[in-house]
Amino acid sequence: MCGIVGYIGRRRAAPVLLDGLKKLEYRGYDSVGIAVLDRGKLAIEKRSGRVAALAKAEELSGTIGIGHTRWATHGAPSERNAHPHRYGKIAVVHNGIIENAAELRAICEARGEVFSSETDSEIAAHVIAHYFEEEGDLLRAVYRAAGELNGSFALAVLAEGKEEIVCARRASPLIVAEGEGEGFVASDIPALAAKGRRAYVLEDGEFARITREKVQIFGADLALRLREAFLLEEEELAPEKGRFAHFMRKEIEEVPEAIQNSLFLSDTLQNKEICEVLCQTYYFDIVACGTAYHSGLCFACAAERLLRVPTRVHIASEYRYSDPIVPRGTLTVAVSQSGETADTLAAARLAQERGSKVLAITNVVHSSLSRLADFTIFTGAGREVAVAATKSFHAQLAALYSLLAVLAKYRRSCLPPLEKFPDLAREVIQKSECAAGWSPYFLGSKSVFFLGRGVDRCAAMEGSLKLKEITYLPSEGYAAGELKHGTLALVDGRTPVVAIITDPQLADKTMNAVHEVYARGANVFLITCFPALCTQKEVTASVLIPACPSAFSPMLSVIPLQMLAYHVSLAVGNDPDKPRNLAKSVTVE
Ligand code: M6R
């Protein structure tokens, strides 16, 4: 999704900005641009496409600048719609969505102002420029403009003749930092990281003024706020693909390590306060999106089956507008790899307003979710670059299952052990390579069904999401027993079916669905821990995963599904790491 960088110092700004933008590339974007103040005058370069397309901009001189990677929301991906947007003396980069842009645009146009893009973001440049004319002070102009903007924004703003960058944040992340004679801003820590830099995460409603000498933070009333800085670590080495052709494949290989690093290791689980909250937890509410929502579904199966804790799993974007009922004794668990997903943050906030404590499960230290939550368990997946979540899913499961194990202790109950999962996952990765040979059956298919019951249905939903996301094939993750209530009408010889069967109590039942789709000509691919099923005549090919407690089986059964999606994506000629239209971190609603 969109990314922001900004620099003021003694070095030339353009190379610093381009370097920062490269570090934000993994988020997904379609156009780029930078604006530099050179002897008080704005110079802007923007392009449709990747940061590399902006190489010429490196020659711009000037020591103050802002840059942006854009992921189109309002207006097509094009050079014209790329940021920075300029109006008069003002240049702006914006993340988020300005919801009243059309209204404000009409007001500006009535004043005779001409717009040069179709974006909602350009309105920020116009409104700020209007107030800058009146105030002559950039901070006050941004402050007054922010008061007129509805929606979400992270803004970094330059003005001709001003040796400063002014920033504003509302519901879209922004971090400011200072070094010796330098100041920085970015939407994401990796774009800022360098040992010894002092950083501050802006809170909602705050503003910042960055000069070469200092960073100042102002509250919603523009009163100066004193803040404790945190020290940034040494610049993280940009992740490399190593011996793998794609990050996604490499990240599947890293699943065992991600599980290992997320099992029981979080201090949070030993923390006295969370222990007290867990002792009084009678219900879990999970709020999450996409893959994180699916790990929540898997958790719910385990929590209900093993500990009989009623657990509801909510799509965060639905929860936030659902006027939720939050009974006393509910612990809300917000799951998010990035910790920046706008809907998950809003859902977590609402749960707190309704009196629930929020436990965050996230992969990113200093993320907005970890700062908002009452407690956080950091997963140990390491940086995930591919847009399709793989190892972070397993890390979330490991953290969530560990949480259950701790709860089981308080309840003097006992859970099946989790320690063997890293090794078992390693075994499954090897076995899953055969999915490469399944691709021809999926090429040219009309649609794909992933079927399962109980916990296997949750795995099926994740397998389907992965396939859709990186192959663009229509697919559904479906409850096997529900098929004949309508959807079976879609199944024929051009509808491959992937069945997941890991629960001994439900194996025969899911096999009924396998018979039904086979009878309609479908090729069936099976992921199971029951060897006898692999040799059934209905099964075209299978991956036999090791036996494990079925409540925890998604930890293993999802691996072949990830691998299948990866290989089909290659077979259709896609780049699995960068699916069209998608971003790694979804910071807008
Ligand atoms: O960062 P989050 O875990 O909050 O992201 C949630 C979803 O956007 C994410 O899981 C998305 O569904 C993945 N691209 C799926 O592979």
Side-chain angles (χ1 to χ4, degrees):
M1 204 136 268
C2 303
I4 287 177
V5 292
Y7 172 78
I8 176 166
R10 311 204 187 284
R11 294 183 275 161
R12 276 197 317 114
V16 182
L17 297 174
L18 292 175
D19 190 45
L21 290 177
K22 278 189 201 131
K23 291 180 183 147
L24 294 178
E25 281 197 294
Y26 76 99
R27 292 165 64 107
Y29 68 103
D30 44 60
S31 53
V32 282
I34 64 172
V36 170
L37 267 177
D38 187 8
R39 280 157 288 178
K41 293 281 168 217
L42 280 169
I44 298 186
E45 286 287 341
K46 26 194 205 177
R47 294 282 179 281
S48 184
R50 322 285 310 161
V51 177
L54 211 60
K56 250 191 100 223
E58 190 155 4
E59 289 156 21
L60 290 175
S61 42
T63 54
I64 311 175
I66 52 178
H68 193 260
T69 49
R70 173 175 187 257
W71 184 82
T73 56
H74 295 51
S78 65
E79 189 166 313
R80 188 168 115 83
N81 288 334
H83 300 211
H85 290 291
R86 176 183 183 164
Y87 189 71
K89 293 180 174 163
I90 298 294
V92 168
V93 289
H94 164 236
N95 285 359
I97 295 179
I98 296 172
E99 289 166 355
N100 57 341
E103 266 165 60
L104 294 173
R105 185 169 174 143
I107 297 169
C108 295
E109 282 174 340
R111 285 201 292 254
E113 296 175 15
V114 176
F115 281 73
S116 38
S117 78
E118 306 149 283
T119 64
D120 56 323
S121 305
E122 190 186 347
I123 192 65
H126 283 250
V127 182
I128 295 168
H130 176 73
Y131 288 121
F132 187 62
E133 282 297 309
E134 276 184 36
E135 297 273 351
D137 178 88
L138 185 57
L139 178 64
R140 284 219 37 97
V142 172
Y143 170 74
R144 287 182 65 187
E148 296 200 4
L149 306 178
N150 293 344
S152 59
F153 51 79
L155 294 168
V157 188
L158 297 181
E160 288 198 330
K162 294 282 176 188
E163 300 275 298
E164 63 188 3
I165 303 172
V166 170
C167 307
R169 171 195 165 139
R170 187 193 296 159
S172 192
L174 210 52
I175 300 115
V176 291
E178 56 196 1
E180 288 316 305
E182 298 182 309
F184 305 83
V185 56
S187 51
D188 226 15
I189 289 185
L192 290 176
K195 199 174 171 81
R197 275 183 201 160
R198 298 174 298 279
Y200 311 82
V201 180
L202 288 192
E203 301 294 343
D204 272 348
E206 285 187 336
F207 299 85
R209 175 190 271 144
I210 311 170
T211 61
R212 292 186 180 85
E213 291 71 37
K214 59 181 179 251
V215 163
Q216 291 171 296
I217 298 174
F218 303 89
D221 49 0
L222 226 48
L224 190 63
R225 283 194 171 171
L226 292 178
R227 257 311 167 65
E228 189 104 354
F230 62 91
L231 279 185
L232 290 168
E233 295 302 322
E234 193 65 80
E235 189 169 354
E236 199 186 307
L237 288 178
E240 301 211 344
K241 292 179 202 154
R243 65 190 165 94
F244 299 96
H246 299 95
F247 279 109
M248 183 179 175
R249 181 64 190 83
K250 177 176 175 252
E251 286 161 3
I252 295 175
E253 201 69 19
E254 290 167 351
V255 162
E257 213 182 324
I259 298 174
Q260 182 74 57
N261 293 341
S262 308
L263 280 176
F264 298 114
L265 290 183
S266 174
D267 294 342
T268 307
L269 289 174
Q270 325 303 333
N271 166 307
K272 193 165 159 276
E273 264 178 89
I274 178 91
C275 295
E276 279 164 16
V277 170
L278 275 180
C279 288
Q280 288 159 24
T281 295
Y282 301 104
Y283 311 96
F284 285 118
D285 264 356
I286 310 287
V287 293
C289 303
T291 290
Y293 168 72
H294 294 152
S295 65
L297 290 176
C298 298
F299 169 78
C301 288
E304 295 201 336
R305 195 200 291 186
L306 301 174
L307 290 181
R308 310 301 294 159
V309 186
T311 302
R312 298 181 302 180
V313 190
H314 306 269
I315 294 174
S317 55
E318 291 291 318
Y319 180 91
R320 65 183 291 189
Y321 296 114
S322 68
D323 192 9
I325 298 165
V326 184
R328 271 171 82 96
T330 300
L331 176 62
T332 303
V333 184
V335 189
S336 170
Q337 187 283 129
S338 62
E340 300 297 349
T341 300
D343 286 320
T344 307
L345 288 168
R349 233 175 262 124
L350 179 59
Q352 280 174 331
E353 282 163 27
R354 301 268 156 128
S356 171
K357 294 279 185 204
V358 169
L359 167 66
I361 309 265
T362 180
N363 202 31
V364 181
V365 180
H366 302 303
S367 57
S368 302
L369 185 61
S370 68
R371 284 179 295 105
L372 177 154
D374 300 282
F375 315 99
T376 302
I377 297 178
F378 290 107
T379 51
R383 180 117 158 250
E384 191 175 62
V385 176
V387 168
T390 53
K391 60 177 178 171
S392 64
F393 170 78
H394 299 272
Q396 285 161 2
L397 288 189
L400 287 163
Y401 294 159
S402 301
L403 176 71
L404 273 191
V406 171
L407 185 59
K409 246 183 20 202
Y410 297 134
R411 300 194 165 188
R412 299 188 197 293
S413 174
C414 189
L415 244 53
L418 290 161
E419 286 76 2
K420 289 210 172 110
F421 275 102
D423 286 339
L424 298 178
R426 217 163 272 126
E427 187 183 329
V428 178
I429 292 169
Q430 275 181 5
K431 289 184 165 174
S432 302
E433 271 302 355
C434 67
W438 302 2
S439 308
Y441 293 94
F442 290 76
L443 296 180
S445 58
K446 274 191 322 194
S447 63
V448 181
F449 278 95
F450 289 78
L451 300 180
R453 283 175 183 254
V455 75
D456 293 332
R457 177 182 166 222
C458 309
M461 290 170 74
E462 175 57 9
S464 167
L465 175 64
K466 218 88 307 177
L467 191 83
K468 279 186 264 221
E469 186 175 17
I470 59 172
T471 68
Y472 318 150
L473 287 174
S475 91
E476 281 201 65
Y478 220 68
E482 188 63 9
L483 203 60
K484 54 187 167 301
H485 296 290
T487 322
L488 191 58
L490 298 174
V491 174
D492 63 18
R494 288 177 55 216
T495 323
V497 171
V498 182
I500 299 108
I501 305 183
T502 66
D503 186 339
Q505 284 167 13
L506 298 172
D508 289 346
K509 304 286 174 201
T510 306
M511 275 312 280
N512 287 341
V514 168
H515 296 303
E516 287 158 14
V517 296
Y518 176 75
R520 271 94 194 160
N523 281 292
V524 177
F525 300 85
L526 185 64
I527 314 300
T528 186
C529 48
F530 305 114
L533 298 184
C534 299
T535 53
Q536 303 267 314
K537 69 170 185 328
E538 291 86 351
V539 176
T540 304
S542 59
V543 173
L544 181 66
I545 62 173
C548 72
S550 59
F552 296 152
S553 66
M555 197 93 106
L556 303 180
S557 62
V558 168
I559 296 172
L561 306 179
Q562 295 169 338
M563 203 74 105
L564 173 66
Y566 172 75
H567 284 295
V568 179
S569 169
L570 293 183
V572 296
N574 290 351
D575 177 350
D577 286 346
K578 295 189 184 115
R580 69 182 179 203
N581 305 340
L582 298 179
K584 184 67 186 159
S585 165
V586 185
T587 49
V588 292
E589 203 181 330

